[in-house]
Amino acid sequence: MAGYFLMLDAVETMGASDLDLLTQDLQSCLQSQNIDEALKLAEKRHNMIVALFEDLEGKTADMSEIAGKSMQDLSFERSILQAQRSVDRTAFVARRTAVSAYMKQP
């Protein structure tokens, strides 16, 4: 039970800026393709959001704002990953084409 109160204390001292900083770090890791660190940060962010929701229970406007921002962040992170996948796929096709052209030379 003591851990629960420590978590509530942490929720009271953390704010939207902490969540924003964590999200920025996560998105930087995604952009640099540091997936291991991104997974750690994503889990930490998830736990922070859950703690915030538990603390804000009954405060619908605040919960709605955090949920909306979180969904925007997730959408942006998804677009980062899709863009990287597209770049990686294009690079693969270019390499495959170059190897095929090289193999066909006399």
Side-chain angles (χ1 to χ4, degrees):
M1 194 66 153
Y4 177 76
F5 291 116
L6 287 174
M7 183 173 28
L8 283 180
D9 289 342
V11 169
E12 290 173 7
T13 60
M14 72 179 167
S17 62
D18 294 330
L19 187 58
D20 288 341
L21 288 174
L22 188 58
T23 297
Q24 288 173 4
D25 290 344
L26 171 60
Q27 290 173 358
S28 293
C29 286
L30 290 174
Q31 288 172 333
S32 66
Q33 296 185 355
N34 184 352
I35 301 303
D36 291 334
E37 187 65 23
L39 288 172
K40 291 175 190 173
L41 291 173
E43 183 176 4
K44 187 174 180 179
R45 183 179 65 179
H46 167 79
N47 293 338
M48 185 182 289
I49 291 171
V50 168
L52 280 171
F53 277 172
E54 287 174 352
D55 187 52
L56 293 174
E57 195 169 337
K59 299 177 184 172
T60 308
D62 292 338
M63 288 178 75
S64 178
E65 181 181 335
I66 291 171
K69 176 75 169 95
S70 296
M71 292 305 293
Q72 287 175 339
D73 292 337
L74 288 172
S75 178
F76 178 68
E77 290 155 15
R78 183 177 179 195
S79 69
I80 290 171
L81 294 173
Q82 287 176 336
Q84 286 176 340
R85 184 177 61 204
S86 177
V87 167
D88 290 344
R89 174 78 177 139
T90 301
F92 169 76
V93 170
R95 286 191 305 272
R96 185 183 66 190
T97 303
V99 168
S100 293
Y102 176 76
M103 298 299 280
K104 291 180 182 177
Q105 288 183 348

